[in-house]
Amino acid sequence: IKEVAAHAGVSMMTASRAINGKALVSAKAKRAVDLAVKALGYVPNASARALAGSADRRVALLHSHSTTSAYLGELLLGAMSEAPQRHLHLVVEQCAPGAFASEIVEQVAHAHVAGVILPPPLCDWAELVDGLRARDIAIVAIATDQDGPDMLSVSTDDRHAAYDLTRHLIELGHKRIGFIE
């Protein structure tokens, strides 16, 4: 950042503010810093940012032994694909069979994550959810039966999906349709 500031003809503080999108930077200084960043190929150091107190950019995906491998695989591939696009680091943690919710919360807290993705059945484990909330760790629950004002969730309308699937099979000419749960 020292080189960027010198190249742009601004102070290191101004260069830092411009790079991090902070206020109090004139349009002229911002342009000069942007040009210097491009000319020098500057890329901010994530470790230095963490040490400087910037927001944590880690998200944990928790899974348990009861999560099927196919479901977990799809979820993991999606998270791995999306995380870099959002400048996030993905931390994958397995919740050991028989573990207590408090142990898992400690494990997550020590990973210094900003948020946690909870697939089923973990998303419906009240002690785990409450423990994460108590630590102010953001939660995204997948296919949860719970609904809370301070928890984001992703779910599907299974009834409507089954209807659409069945209608599609009928339109293809199928007459004997089975459903296995």
Side-chain angles (χ1 to χ4, degrees):
I1 198 162
K2 220 183 269 189
E3 292 172 19
V4 169
H7 193 275
V10 298
S11 70
M12 281 182 37
M13 183 60 77
T14 298
S16 176
R17 286 182 179 149
I19 290 168
N20 293 307
K22 303 289 183 185
L24 305 174
V25 179
S26 71
K28 181 180 175 185
K30 172 82 171 117
R31 260 191 317 278
V33 171
D34 288 346
L35 289 171
V37 164
K38 189 172 182 174
L40 298 171
Y42 174 77
V43 177
N45 182 316
S47 297
R49 282 183 158 190
L51 288 173
S54 68
D56 208 332
R57 304 296 297 171
R58 284 185 232 166
V59 174
L61 169 62
L62 300 185
H63 65 96
S64 69
H65 65 285
S66 59
T67 307
T68 65
S69 60
Y71 184 84
L72 178 62
E74 288 298 318
L75 191 58
L76 187 55
L77 286 173
M80 287 171 53
S81 170
E82 197 64 29
Q85 295 179 35
R86 308 235 181 256
H87 307 290
L88 296 170
H89 298 279
L90 185 63
V91 176
V92 180
E93 296 281 349
Q94 181 179 21
C95 300
F100 292 101
S102 59
E103 294 170 344
I104 297 167
V105 171
E106 286 302 312
Q107 180 181 358
V108 169
H110 283 96
H112 301 290
V113 299
V116 175
I117 302 168
L118 292 178
L122 299 175
C123 59
D124 293 319
W125 189 1
E127 291 171 285
L128 177 61
V129 170
D130 291 344
L132 292 168
R133 284 180 177 148
R135 291 286 189 115
D136 290 325
I137 297 172
I139 302 167
V140 175
I142 299 182
T144 182
D145 292 332
Q146 309 298 317
D147 197 15
D150 57 347
M151 182 170 66
L152 298 173
S153 63
V154 178
S155 60
T156 59
D157 182 344
D158 291 332
R159 179 175 290 224
H160 189 76
Y163 173 83
D164 285 346
L165 176 66
T166 305
R167 190 177 76 219
H168 176 71
L169 291 172
I170 291 170
E171 287 171 359
L172 290 175
H174 296 281
K175 298 198 184 308
R176 297 180 62 196
I177 300 167
F179 178 76
I180 301 172
E181 186 174 15

